[in-house]
Amino acid sequence: MRRFVKFRAVFIPVILLAWLSSFPQQKPGSTAIINSQVADGTGKPLRQVSIRIAGERIVKVGNFQPAKDEEIIDAKGLVLAPGFIDIHNHSTEGIESDPLAETQIAQGITTVVVGADGDSPWPIAPWLKAREVNPASLNIAVMAGHATIREQVMGKDFKRVATPAEVEKMAQLVDQGMTEGAIGLSSGLEYEVGSYSATDEVVAMSTAAAKHGGFYMTHIRDEADKAFEALKEEIAIGERAHIPIQHSHIKLGTVGVWGKAPQYIQVIEAARKRGVDFLADCYPYDAWHSNLKVLVPDKQYENPRSVAKALADVGGGSHVTVVEFKPNPSYEGHTIEDLARSNNITPVEMFIRLIRESDAANTEPGIIGQSMIESDIKAFYQQPWVMVASDGGIGSRHPRGAGTFPRVLGVYVREKHWLTLTEAVGKMTSLPAKRLHWNDRGIIREGAFADLVLFNPATVIDRSTFSSPFTLPTGIEKVFVNGTLVWSSDKPTGARPGRVLRLPR
Ligand SMILES: [Zn+2]
């Protein structure tokens, strides 16, 4: 009896070890996602393979048996894609107060690039340091803003062309920002501070960004009647500064240029053939969100003739909705035409009243302008060099802030068939990753970071609207950032594994 016990004491552990070693060696804490259809980000057809996540990375892709000690997610009926990269996102302030970024991860976004339209945090280094100390649920990268730097140099005296000495100083600050971790230069040449800059100034600053391997992201000088001139300036900046171009929220925004997407695309194709590295992004809405003053290109905000032209350009006062008006919140949610009617004045007079009341309170009215047509949006989206980006972000009062990515998948892929599902995923993942020179994100392959989204292709859809901009989408089942689950069962998990991302050195 004693001999048997002794025998068993030795024998059983040996058998146990032999049995255990017949399973794949796996560190504890790994996760296997099985039975999903994988859209790997490259545009290749969907394929049913399993993937294993360990630590921050995808460590296995293929047909393998899950290990006994790993967590298994059975994703039958779901699509697994790389996490979405939003290259034009306005969460600069939001990410500080709301690092869980619920409206962003609920869309499957795993990385945001902030500092767009010429407006960025400054200086760059302490801002990025704060993101590392207080991380978000998702990854973040930052642009250096042209207008931000212009104001650093010119102060309040910015309503003029800069002197050569000032331009040199601005280029030095771009160099500083890039050294501190910015990934490129952004501009908003239609906006107040940037609009006074000469092309040469932007070329000098872009040249400084290009030296660091950065790119030039731009909200061009005019997206309306002069959209073609502004496009030519943008391409010239790219060619003169030898810098890749990221055209922000490509659009044709006035009656005068509606329907001209084919010609616009031709100009861009010609530049691409000459070797210009030109990519663009587009949000999936026929309306934009900005401030009231951008409607008036000649800045004669109280000149009835200029205002009449501005309103005609967007199809009239019924196409402009006031969404933010601090001095008189009762205006919010109404069109300029409605407000004019209830005040017994003309839409032009109402516009001027809005300008005077907001100027007196030193605020800027937020508006939504319905000013794009669907055929132009469709033509842009079908170009292989156009990616998906939101131009939204945490706290955005435009529905794109909480709806962009699910809307493309639900409306443009499933309902309208403008894009295949794998094309759309490519526009949300590998295409932005290409612009950012990130080889290990925006793709599902062994060794890549495990930024992942699991969604239901049959149900995914946005639910945010202009009157309810924060309503979360549906159909995004699980989201991983750097291997950690951040979104599951319709809520954030509370994890904040997001990192600050920079250009590869
Ligand atoms: Zn913009």
Side-chain angles (χ1 to χ4, degrees):
M1 199 63 200
R2 281 187 68 97
R3 274 187 65 171
F4 180 75
V5 168
K6 204 170 177 182
F7 169 77
R8 196 173 54 180
V10 177
F11 187 67
I12 288 177
V14 169
I15 289 188
L16 201 67
L17 271 176
W19 178 72
L20 277 174
S21 66
S22 72
F23 289 92
Q25 289 299 303
Q26 201 48 56
K27 274 191 289 183
S30 69
T31 301
I33 302 176
I34 61 168
N35 295 327
S36 72
Q37 296 292 323
V38 172
D40 68 4
T42 65
K44 282 190 208 141
L46 293 172
R47 58 193 184 120
Q48 189 173 320
V49 285
S50 300
I51 75 137
R52 173 175 289 135
I53 305 166
E56 294 190 309
R57 306 251 183 187
I58 299 164
V59 295
K60 198 158 184 62
V61 179
N63 291 306
F64 60 86
Q65 282 300 313
K68 274 281 183 284
D69 62 345
E70 71 186 337
E71 188 191 351
I72 296 169
I73 296 173
D74 186 347
K76 194 166 171 31
L78 304 180
V79 169
L80 180 67
F84 305 146
I85 298 171
D86 189 7
I87 204 167
H88 191 115
N89 189 288
H90 290 287
S91 295
T92 311
E93 275 100 41
I95 207 79
E96 300 187 34
S97 54
D98 178 18
L100 282 183
E102 184 175 8
T103 53
Q104 310 302 292
I105 57 174
Q107 294 180 63
I109 297 173
T110 55
T111 298
V112 291
V113 176
V114 302
D117 294 329
D119 183 18
S120 74
W122 195 265
I124 298 289
W127 193 83
L128 287 179
K129 183 78 199 155
R131 305 284 72 71
E132 282 168 344
V133 170
N134 181 30
S137 61
L138 38 62
N139 303 309
I140 192 161
V142 70
M143 306 293 293
H146 163 251
T148 300
I149 290 173
R150 197 165 203 268
E151 278 191 298
Q152 288 292 316
V153 173
M154 300 175 80
K156 291 280 162 235
D157 182 25
F158 60 75
K159 291 190 178 177
R160 58 178 174 83
V161 170
T163 66
E166 286 167 336
V167 170
E168 198 183 317
K169 178 74 185 147
M170 289 178 207
Q172 279 169 13
L173 290 184
V174 173
D175 184 69
Q176 179 194 323
M178 294 295 296
T179 304
E180 293 181 5
I183 61 171
L185 176 71
S186 81
S187 75
L189 302 186
E190 194 169 20
Y191 290 115
E192 183 73 354
V193 177
S195 67
Y196 296 96
S197 60
T199 304
D200 286 353
E201 170 188 321
V202 186
V203 170
M205 292 169 76
S206 297
T207 303
K211 282 189 189 125
H212 292 264
F215 62 102
Y216 175 59
M217 174 195 280
T218 180
H219 174 147
I220 59 173
R221 212 175 280 273
D222 192 302
E223 299 177 320
D225 287 2
K226 293 181 184 154
F228 281 82
E229 284 171 43
L231 175 64
K232 280 180 191 137
E233 180 193 31
E234 171 188 31
I235 292 169
I237 291 166
E239 290 189 299
R240 289 176 58 196
H242 304 287
I243 192 167
I245 297 169
Q246 178 71 25
H247 183 115
S248 295
H249 41 61
I250 190 166
K251 73 167 78 81
L252 292 165
T254 45
V255 173
V257 285
W258 279 350
K260 293 193 177 166
Q263 293 96 306
Y264 213 60
I265 288 165
Q266 256 176 20
V267 175
I268 295 166
E269 289 286 8
R272 284 170 55 85
K273 285 214 183 79
R274 292 200 302 274
V276 179
D277 180 357
F278 188 110
L279 299 177
D281 51 75
C282 190
Y283 55 72
Y285 295 85
D286 62 3
W288 45 262
H289 179 208
S290 192
N291 68 69
L292 190 59
K293 287 183 174 173
V294 301
L295 280 179
V296 191
D298 68 4
K299 299 186 170 35
Q300 305 288 308
Y301 310 116
E302 300 187 26
N303 177 342
R305 214 183 309 158
S306 297
V307 171
K309 163 88 170 83
L311 288 177
D313 276 347
V314 293
S318 63
H319 286 189
V320 181
T321 304
V322 177
V323 288
E324 195 181 0
F325 200 86
K326 296 218 173 80
N328 187 348
S330 75
Y331 292 162
E332 293 173 6
H334 298 283
T335 66
I336 288 185
E337 187 164 292
D338 287 344
L339 293 170
R341 198 180 304 119
S342 54
N343 285 287
N344 277 317
I345 55 178
T346 67
V348 169
E349 288 164 338
M350 189 66 222
F351 184 103
I352 294 168
R353 181 184 291 188
L354 291 170
I355 290 287
R356 287 186 180 148
E357 288 181 17
S358 56
D359 277 356
N362 205 15
T363 60
E364 286 200 334
I367 56 161
I368 284 168
Q370 287 189 330
S371 64
M372 274 178 275
I373 58 171
E374 192 167 270
S375 63
D376 287 337
I377 299 174
K378 179 181 178 184
F380 289 138
Y381 260 108
Q382 291 186 332
Q383 303 310 310
W385 40 265
V386 172
M387 63 190 78
V388 179
S390 75
D391 192 16
I394 298 165
S396 166
R397 302 197 58 93
H398 188 294
R400 66 190 178 216
T404 290
F405 292 83
R407 182 172 171 80
V408 169
L409 294 169
V411 179
Y412 293 174
V413 174
R414 191 176 60 238
E415 292 175 12
K416 295 184 191 277
H417 305 289
W418 290 1
L419 302 167
T420 67
L421 186 125
T422 52
E423 277 171 348
V425 167
K427 289 173 180 293
M428 301 171 175
T429 57
S430 63
L431 193 56
K434 181 180 165 196
R435 169 52 78 235
L436 301 160
H437 298 300
W438 294 340
N439 299 322
D440 48 11
R441 296 187 193 271
I443 188 163
I444 292 180
R445 63 161 171 77
E446 290 181 7
F449 280 97
D451 291 346
L452 296 165
V453 54
L454 263 178
F455 64 90
N456 187 332
T459 62
V460 63
I461 197 80
D462 60 308
R463 293 191 298 180
S464 48
T465 62
F466 284 99
S467 54
S468 178
F470 308 123
T471 306
L472 300 180
T474 191
I476 303 289
E477 303 290 331
K478 288 186 194 300
V479 180
F480 293 84
V481 172
N482 298 318
T484 298
L485 193 63
V486 297
W487 176 260
S488 184
S489 308
D490 296 324
K491 55 181 183 297
T493 62
R496 294 197 274 145
R499 286 186 169 191
V500 167
L501 302 184
R502 296 175 166 85
L503 291 171
R505 293 280 167 209

